[in-house]
Amino acid sequence: MLSLSSVTKRYGDVTALDRLSVNVPDDSYVSLLGASGSGKTTLLRVIAGFEEPDGGKVIYDGHRLDGVAPHRRGIGFVFQNFALFPHLSVADNVAFGLRYREEEPVTDPSELKARVADAIRLVGLEGLEARKVTAISGGQRQRVALARTLVTEPRFVLLDEPLGALDANLRERMCDELRAIRERLKVTFLHVTGSETEALLMGDVVAVLSAGSIAQVGPASSLFALPKSADVARHLNAYNVLSGRVVKGGFEGAGARFALPGKQAASDGAPIEVALRFDRISVRPAGATAADPAGEAAIRARFIASEFTGASVLSFFRLEDGTLIQVVAHLSGPAPQAFTKDELYELSFNPQDVIPFIERAA
Amino acid sequence: MMEIAGEQIRSAAPAMGEDNGVSPAERRDRQERRTALMLISPGVLWMTLFMVLPMIMVVYVSFWTQTTFTVEPKLTTDSWVRFLTSSTYLASTWTTVRIWGIVLLSTLLIGYPVALFIGLMVRNQTLQTALLVICVIPFWTSFLIRVIAWRPMLGTEGAINMILMKLGIIDTPLTSLLFSEFAVLIGMTQIYCVFMVGPITFMLSRIEPSIIEAARDLGAGFGRIFFKIILPLSLPGVIVGAIFVSVMVLGEFATAASLSGRKVNLLGNIIVSQVGSLKWAFASVAGVILTVIIAVVITALLRVVNLRKEM
């Protein structure tokens, strides 16, 4: 198990990692979700040893890793830009670690050949062994980078936005393959990404990195269903976040007022943030005082624009106080309504679906 | 539909240009060939007039008949025989090659670490440029002053001897510092080192830092990374630097003339002195031999790396 405790890393006045603590279990696929600038890459570089932390500890199976030179840590790193050796062939790139590593290099040519061939077969690059890495496609380079790392049999592999440089089709295929490869090798993958869909799809466990520390860790489905803070909710790109105040155990703000689910311990007037999923909102024209289903809450908002994304339509509304609200309508349901720009609409939802975050704002 | 469209295109074509039956692709090819010819002709003209013709002339003159004060266009191999049978001239050819080899090696040994520092350690581009400019500062003075400035450094009463005496390391001044082959080697290394540093720095600064990190992550120590990654990737720079240094050192005469006290005679010195005494035919022989040596060296260096693929 890899555990980081209170790891801090500063660059001048900027604190990239702020007393970050996290445990990464063995034999698992962990995805680390973070916006750009949240310290994702710094975290990986600290684990790999390219940077040393200013404070805190990095411990792997009871051994301190910080302070150990990167080439003695036994941790694999797959770079975002692949970082292949441009003057070597595919096979020589893959063989590099085994051949030239300081500890226990593989000197027997036949063993070297067999292991390189295995790694190349693992990532499906048979037939390209003699090619220069400058003469293969982006997806193939990604595979070389992966094979080059995996052939050295690290128990822990760091993947820095490994799919970022690939086009959408290829990305989906690589996702499946990465998971399959990991399951076959029984190693730990720590996959860093800025895409919430990728993080949720890939990770057995998802960790959300925000402002230099881990905001939440958990299985993908529970993390998505129940974000612990407004920050995590924002990262998931599936929640509208409203801010307001607690009034009589309910929420008031942004031109809305509704009861909150469960009992709220917060006193009146305490600031509060609530998250409301994009797909839990229905829209109807304002003023049409249709029968309000019991317990429904509603906010008035002006329609701005819609985006057609294939299987669903994403609509943008603006509240009176300027907050942007997104609504998702799935096209599998009844035909979506056509909205008129700058018209007022009523956005209604069940207050039981709202997730309140009092402790964070308090 | 297709028929009609074809008809229209055919009827439109003659109206657009007078050259019937020429496809647009062909027309563009011709245009590009014309442009290429225009771009290359000044260079070709210049090189023909001032390099190819003079070189043919030098080869021709090397077979002329030389008397004490005149040279006549009567063909003979006398000058060639004299050069190739004289131990003095063969020795100076060997000296030229030997000094070239030593200077090439010393500029590489001194220049490479400097380039390594500027190109790889310094990742700030402004600082990189500033450091390279510092390397070029000696070139703000004239070539001769740079060479002669070594005299007060290396002389019997020069700075180095004074310091060594003051420190008590030596009792009597070292006389072999100045007016010796050593002085020529020092002078040349200092002058030509920067031509090695520049191209190597350029190649090193193009190496992605993540490539070196990847090699470390795969378990390689510094030595392996240097010999298997950094050196091969910077080799084109080494070759370009070596070509610069070779061309300049092989044709050198001024450094040897002013720092060796006439103890070191390079082919360049022979050409200068023969031209000085109006021995044109003999100077031409030395010139042809020097040109052949330079051509061989450059060809050999270019064999090491395919520069066209790297640039």
Side-chain angles (χ1 to χ4, degrees):
Chain A
M1 187 168 86
L2 177 84
S3 49
L4 280 79
S5 59
S6 278
V7 169
T8 301
K9 177 73 193 170
R10 288 183 212 91
Y11 297 103
D13 291 338
V14 183
T15 305
L17 300 177
D18 188 8
R19 281 160 296 161
L20 180 145
S21 297
V22 69
N23 289 328
V24 182
D26 284 337
D27 188 14
S28 62
Y29 203 124
V30 177
S31 51
L32 186 70
L33 173 63
S36 62
S38 61
K40 294 178 299 208
T41 300
T42 308
L43 177 61
L44 289 198
R45 293 176 62 81
V46 164
I47 298 174
F50 301 138
E51 314 269 351
E52 290 290 353
D54 294 315
K57 289 182 215 167
V58 183
I59 293 167
Y60 188 75
D61 278 353
H63 302 288
R64 279 290 280 272
L65 276 191
D66 46 309
V68 177
H71 61 289
R72 295 168 191 271
R73 291 198 184 192
I75 285 178
F77 199 118
V78 178
F79 287 82
Q80 188 176 7
N81 63 357
F82 313 144
L84 300 180
F85 308 127
H87 57 302
L88 299 179
S89 68
V90 169
D92 285 336
N93 259 278
V94 175
F96 189 91
L98 292 179
R99 197 180 274 159
Y100 299 129
R101 67 184 170 195
E102 214 166 71
E103 282 156 20
E104 300 167 37
V106 176
T107 45
D108 175 21
S110 60
E111 190 199 340
L112 188 71
K113 215 172 148 193
R115 286 179 68 176
V116 168
D118 279 348
I120 285 176
R121 203 173 315 122
L122 181 72
V123 297
L125 282 178
E126 298 101 320
L128 295 177
E129 290 89 344
R131 288 270 197 99
K132 275 250 186 175
V133 290
T134 43
I136 57 177
S137 72
Q140 289 165 340
R141 272 180 223 169
Q142 164 72 69
R143 285 155 202 267
V144 175
L146 198 62
R148 185 180 68 173
T149 300
L150 295 178
V151 77
T152 61
E153 296 179 350
R155 278 178 303 168
F156 201 98
V157 181
L158 307 168
L159 303 115
D160 188 6
E161 307 207 27
L163 310 176
L166 305 182
D167 57 51
N169 267 331
L170 210 53
R171 211 177 301 156
E172 266 172 44
R173 250 192 23 233
M174 278 310 288
C175 278
D176 297 340
E177 286 188 31
L178 278 175
R179 285 189 69 95
I181 287 170
R182 192 206 72 74
E183 273 158 31
R184 214 174 318 159
L185 298 177
K186 306 257 175 268
V187 294
T188 303
F189 274 18
L190 180 58
H191 176 137
V192 155
T193 175
S195 146
E196 67 287 343
T197 41
E198 199 177 302
L200 295 168
L201 172 70
M202 302 300 291
D204 304 324
V205 175
V206 178
V208 178
L209 185 67
S210 169
S213 59
I214 301 288
Q216 189 174 353
V217 190
S221 55
S222 66
L223 185 121
F224 184 77
L226 204 61
K228 258 188 348 200
S229 69
D231 228 20
V232 175
R234 282 192 194 97
H235 272 90
L236 294 173
N237 197 23
Y239 288 91
N240 296 299
V241 177
L242 303 175
S243 37
R245 292 182 177 283
V246 178
V247 176
K248 290 186 195 134
F251 173 89
E252 192 177 300
R257 169 196 283 237
F258 48 84
L260 288 168
K263 282 202 169 150
Q264 300 305 329
S267 53
D268 269 15
I272 182 175
E273 285 181 297
V274 296
L276 180 59
R277 262 170 75 162
F278 294 174
D279 57 352
R280 295 286 161 83
I281 300 174
S282 46
V283 183
R284 57 170 182 247
T289 42
D292 226 358
E296 284 278 274
I299 320 177
R300 279 174 172 244
R302 249 171 236 290
F303 175 68
I304 304 172
S306 281
E307 276 175 8
F308 176 70
T309 59
S312 60
V313 175
L314 184 61
S315 305
F316 297 89
F317 294 87
R318 196 176 289 290
L319 301 185
E320 281 159 29
D321 69 347
T323 312
L324 196 69
I325 298 284
Q326 300 178 53
V327 177
V328 169
H330 291 284
L331 295 182
S332 55
Q337 304 152 264
F339 304 125
T340 321
K341 192 168 159 39
D342 291 331
E343 278 297 302
L344 270 176
Y345 289 90
E346 210 140 84
L347 311 179
S348 66
F349 52 92
N350 184 349
Q352 292 301 314
D353 290 336
V354 164
I355 307 166
F357 309 111
I358 296 175
E359 67 277 55
R360 167 146 173 79
Chain B
M1 281 294 275
M2 291 294 282
E3 206 61 52
I4 293 164
E7 210 81 56
Q8 277 173 338
I9 287 165
R10 236 171 288 147
S11 60
M16 276 168 64
E18 56 275 32
D19 39 3
N20 291 347
V22 178
S23 73
E26 253 174 276
R27 219 175 304 149
R28 177 169 295 189
D29 278 351
R30 281 184 199 174
Q31 177 67 44
E32 276 169 5
R33 246 171 294 162
R34 261 202 303 274
T35 314
L37 205 65
M38 261 162 54
L39 287 173
I40 203 161
S41 43
V44 170
L45 196 69
W46 180 271
M47 291 303 257
T48 311
L49 281 178
F50 299 111
M51 198 179 112
V52 178
L53 290 181
M55 270 170 76
I56 293 171
M57 195 62 195
V58 169
V59 175
Y60 183 39
V61 170
S62 74
F63 289 100
W64 284 9
T65 306
Q66 179 84 55
T67 55
T68 314
F69 295 113
T70 59
V71 57
E72 290 173 49
K74 210 161 56 173
L75 295 187
T76 168
T77 53
D78 279 358
S79 304
W80 281 92
V81 171
R82 206 176 124 217
F83 190 99
L84 295 173
T85 52
S86 148
S87 60
T88 321
Y89 298 128
L90 291 178
S92 94
T93 307
W94 169 238
T95 309
T96 308
V97 172
R98 188 163 45 89
I99 287 196
W100 160 73
I102 297 171
V103 171
L104 189 62
L105 197 69
S106 64
T107 49
L108 184 63
L109 288 181
I110 294 169
Y112 201 97
V114 175
L116 208 55
F117 175 75
I118 301 175
L120 221 52
M121 306 290 183
V122 179
R123 278 296 173 184
N124 177 336
Q125 283 210 322
T126 321
L127 193 56
Q128 263 184 5
T129 315
L131 288 170
L132 276 179
V133 168
I134 288 173
C135 289
V136 184
I137 281 180
F139 284 77
W140 296 0
T141 62
S142 91
F143 178 86
L144 273 177
I145 289 180
R146 254 177 294 142
V147 173
I148 291 168
W150 278 105
R151 288 191 183 178
M153 285 291 287
L154 301 172
T156 319
E157 290 174 37
I160 292 177
N161 270 323
M162 250 161 68
I163 291 168
L164 290 178
M165 299 259 282
K166 281 261 161 63
L167 291 175
I169 296 171
I170 50 169
D171 302 324
T172 48
L174 297 171
T175 50
S176 59
L177 288 182
L178 190 58
F179 301 131
S180 62
E181 191 177 305
F182 176 76
V184 175
L185 293 174
I186 291 271
M188 285 193 182
T189 303
Q190 183 243 335
I191 292 162
Y192 299 119
C193 205
V194 70
F195 294 99
M196 197 57 112
V197 173
I200 299 176
T201 304
F202 174 74
M203 286 312 288
L204 286 173
S205 66
R206 296 204 320 182
I207 299 178
E208 286 273 340
S210 61
I211 286 178
I212 293 164
E213 285 175 346
R216 287 206 85 184
D217 186 67
L218 293 169
F222 179 79
R224 291 299 191 149
I225 294 176
F226 179 78
F227 285 109
K228 297 298 172 188
I229 305 287
I230 296 173
L231 192 58
L233 288 177
S234 66
L235 205 54
V238 174
I239 297 302
V240 171
I243 290 174
F244 283 162
V245 172
S246 302
V247 169
M248 287 184 286
V249 169
L250 286 169
E252 251 275 26
F253 64 92
T255 311
S258 96
L259 293 180
S260 81
R262 307 214 169 178
K263 283 186 200 121
V264 175
N265 274 307
L266 304 176
L267 281 177
N269 300 93
I270 290 176
I271 296 173
V272 170
S273 66
Q274 295 296 320
V275 167
S277 50
L278 303 177
K279 300 274 195 302
W280 292 100
F282 200 75
S284 297
V285 172
V288 171
I289 287 174
L290 191 54
T291 308
V292 169
I293 293 174
I294 292 176
V296 168
V297 165
I298 291 179
T299 312
L301 286 171
L302 286 176
R303 279 284 166 91
V304 178
V305 161
N306 185 351
L307 283 182
R308 227 180 319 164
K309 225 169 62 189
E310 301 289 342
M311 284 296 144

